[in-house]
């Protein structure tokens, strides 16, 4: 039943995003990876999970901020599509345990290691540091991580982008899976650096192949809502 709910939701989101946005995807085939693994992406808008869920070739179990579950219908739908809550303000052992269980079961866990929407100078794409968590989960699980960059999804905060014939553009790129090596604090720091380097390389590849401007990069809220 949950698989059906997920696939129906994915189909509807694909229709909606196809109407509003032209999405360019590079290296989509890297999301065919078998077994349990993590998709870790930068986070620039509330529209990122739908975009990435449509782009990925495997079903995603998203780690989602617990605040969304307080909305009755939204919370019910999110549980139906196999998301699970995480407390972004403090260490959440329950969400870590759930992620480890799903990875062990061969499922794909999606997460945003920046710890929430990060735009402008707060974005890892603009050099901001990662919050701790991804490297620790990679170390504990032994599961590979597929880095991902998404750009342009925040264009949809501008109401005009939803009008007919005003389709915006979004760009998504997937990296090769990376594996945690070693143990301890130094190994986690090295893994975080490798992950951040992958994101910057992904963005550079997108900018080399598509006419992405600086205005397409993560913008502060006051600027992104006024973009046309």
């Amino acid at each position: 039943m949950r698989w059906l709910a997920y696939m129906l939701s994915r189909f509807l989101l694909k229709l909606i995003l196809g109407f509003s946005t032209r999405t360019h995807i590079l290296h989509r085939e890297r999301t065919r990876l078998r077994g349990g693994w993590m998709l870790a992406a930068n986070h620039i808008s509330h529209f990122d999970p739908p975009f990435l869920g449509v782009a990925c070739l495997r079903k995603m179990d998203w780690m989602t901020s617990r605040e969304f579950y307080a909305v009755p219908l939204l919370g019910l739908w999110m549980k139906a599509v196999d998301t699970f809550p995480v407390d972004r303000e403090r260490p959440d052992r329950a969400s870590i345990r759930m992620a480890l269980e799903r990875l062990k079961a061969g499922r794909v866990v999606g997460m945003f290691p920046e710890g929430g929407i990060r735009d402008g100078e707060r974005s890892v794409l603009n050099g901001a540091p990662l919050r701790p968590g991804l490297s620790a989960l990679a170390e504990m699980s032994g599961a590979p991580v597929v880095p991902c960059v998404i750009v342009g999804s925040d264009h949809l905060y501008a109401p005009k982008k939803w009008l007919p014939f005003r389709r915006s553009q979004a760009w998504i790129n997937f990296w090769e899976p990376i594996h945690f090596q070693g143990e301890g604090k130094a190994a986690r720091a090295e893994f975080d650096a490798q992950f951040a380097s992958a994101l910057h390389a992904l963005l550079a590849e997108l900018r080399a192949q598509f006419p992405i401007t600086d205005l397409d990069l993560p913008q502060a809220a006051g600027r992104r809502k006024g973009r046309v």
Side-chain angles (χ1 to χ4, degrees):
M1 191 65 180
R2 291 189 174 185
W3 176 265
L4 180 61
Y6 182 90
M7 296 308 294
L8 178 59
S9 297
R10 186 178 185 274
F11 174 74
L12 293 175
L13 289 170
K14 187 175 183 178
L15 289 180
I16 294 170
L17 295 177
F19 170 81
S20 64
T21 310
R22 183 182 180 188
T23 306
H24 309 272
I25 306 173
L26 295 182
H27 306 302
R28 191 178 194 177
E29 72 282 357
R30 291 172 177 171
T31 65
R32 291 188 187 275
L33 187 65
R34 294 184 178 182
W37 53 275
M38 290 177 279
L39 177 78
N42 66 301
H43 198 13
I44 58 175
S45 81
H46 294 90
F47 306 105
D48 293 341
F51 271 105
L52 296 176
V54 169
C56 289
L57 296 175
R58 286 192 57 189
K59 178 179 176 296
M60 307 292 301
D61 291 6
W62 286 102
M63 297 179 72
T64 307
S65 180
R66 66 176 185 174
E67 287 79 8
F68 291 104
Y69 294 85
V71 183
L73 290 179
L74 178 60
L76 183 63
W77 171 73
M78 293 178 74
K79 291 178 182 178
V81 296
D82 280 327
T83 69
F84 58 100
V86 60
D87 187 339
R88 300 189 186 277
E89 302 302 321
R90 57 183 61 87
D92 188 340
R93 293 182 180 178
S95 67
I96 292 174
R97 186 163 53 249
M98 179 65 71
L100 292 173
E101 290 175 356
R102 297 194 183 197
L103 291 168
K104 186 176 180 180
R107 298 164 75 165
V108 182
V109 172
M111 64 182 300
F112 298 107
E114 291 175 291
I117 294 175
R118 297 289 182 263
D119 47 34
E121 294 181 355
R122 301 188 305 154
S123 171
V124 66
L125 298 183
N126 288 326
L130 290 171
R131 293 183 61 178
L134 175 62
S135 56
L137 192 54
E139 181 179 17
M140 287 186 287
S141 67
V145 175
V146 175
C148 173
V149 158
I150 179 168
V151 178
S153 64
D154 56 340
H155 287 191
L156 293 182
Y157 283 119
K160 290 182 179 180
K161 294 298 184 180
W162 294 92
L163 296 176
F165 312 112
R166 291 298 301 272
R167 293 174 76 197
S168 64
Q169 296 193 73
W171 301 269
I172 299 172
N173 197 1
F174 298 99
W175 194 253
E176 295 278 3
I178 59 177
H179 299 261
F180 190 92
Q181 302 289 336
E183 59 182 20
K185 186 176 181 179
R188 290 194 292 271
E190 183 177 346
F191 182 90
D192 285 343
Q194 183 181 4
F195 175 77
S197 177
L199 293 191
H200 288 110
L202 288 170
L203 179 59
E205 184 179 17
L206 285 174
R207 299 196 73 169
Q209 295 200 31
F210 302 102
I212 298 174
T213 70
D214 289 343
L215 290 177
D216 293 313
L217 299 182
Q219 301 290 316
R223 296 185 63 190
R224 70 187 182 205
K225 291 182 181 179
R227 287 190 303 200
V228 295

